[in-house]
Amino acid sequence: MSSSAYDPHEPARRPGGKPDEQPKYRVLVHRRFKRLYEQLADRVGLQQAQQFWDHVSHDPGNPAPVASTCILRGKAGKPQGPGWSRTTHYEVSGAARIDYQFNDEYRVEADGDAHRVVAILTINYSSH
């Protein structure tokens, strides 16, 4: 995510427990939003929280089948580095929005193995 040794992202587990099938992408949340992520199921309901996680862990580059998504424009949508997507804005419900980017070939080290990851950048529970 950054070129420094410090990585502020941590794994974001699926709300309600393990998924039925192996995810294609590893979902990460910025530590600044970890507590907000842990509140997701309580705030929007378990089903919607799981639908979000299932979408980003399997198909983050396409529109969500059950929620509104859009690609942010301008500076807000700028990729965080080479290989990263533009920022996707996902409306979990009328009361929650999550912005994320994904990378199909993320490497912790230049010569390390490539992994598919989704980075949750922001979580917002206030109204527009």
Side-chain angles (χ1 to χ4, degrees), residues 1 7 9-13 22-29 37 53 56-60 84 100-104 106 108 114-120:
M1 302 268 158
D7 188 354
H9 292 87
E10 299 177 6
R13 299 197 182 280
Q22 180 88 15
K24 294 178 183 176
Y25 289 79
R26 183 171 188 199
V27 182
L28 305 172
V29 63
Y37 180 77
W53 192 92
V56 297
S57 68
H58 290 282
D59 200 14
W84 287 95
Y100 68 86
Q101 292 183 7
F102 65 93
N103 187 329
D104 289 333
Y106 177 70
V108 176
H115 300 279
R116 292 178 174 185
V117 297
V118 171
I120 296 172

Side-chain angles (χ1 to χ4, degrees), residues 1-125:
M1 302 268 158
S2 68
S3 58
S4 72
Y6 170 71
D7 188 354
H9 292 87
E10 299 177 6
R13 299 197 182 280
R14 184 177 189 261
K18 287 189 168 195
D20 293 335
E21 64 181 79
Q22 180 88 15
K24 294 178 183 176
Y25 289 79
R26 183 171 188 199
V27 182
L28 305 172
V29 63
H30 193 285
R31 73 171 17 118
R32 183 176 14 176
F33 297 103
K34 186 172 176 86
R35 282 198 172 158
L36 290 174
Y37 180 77
E38 290 169 351
Q39 299 170 8
L40 186 62
D42 292 335
R43 291 197 177 220
V44 302
L46 182 59
Q47 182 179 9
Q48 287 183 308
Q50 287 177 334
Q51 288 171 345
F52 165 75
W53 192 92
D54 292 343
H55 171 69
V56 297
S57 68
H58 290 282
D59 200 14
N62 288 312
V66 295
S68 175
T69 60
C70 66
I71 305 298
L72 296 181
R73 297 181 185 181
K75 190 175 181 180
K78 184 179 174 184
Q80 58 185 327
W84 287 95
S85 68
R86 293 188 55 81
T87 303
T88 299
H89 182 77
Y90 184 108
E91 299 232 4
V92 181
S93 71
R97 289 161 311 286
I98 299 175
D99 293 343
Y100 68 86
Q101 292 183 7
F102 65 93
N103 187 329
D104 289 333
E105 295 190 14
Y106 177 70
R107 298 172 195 273
V108 176
E109 298 174 1
D111 60 345
D113 294 336
H115 300 279
R116 292 178 174 185
V117 297
V118 171
I120 296 172
L121 303 176
T122 64
I123 299 174
N124 189 330
Y125 291 121

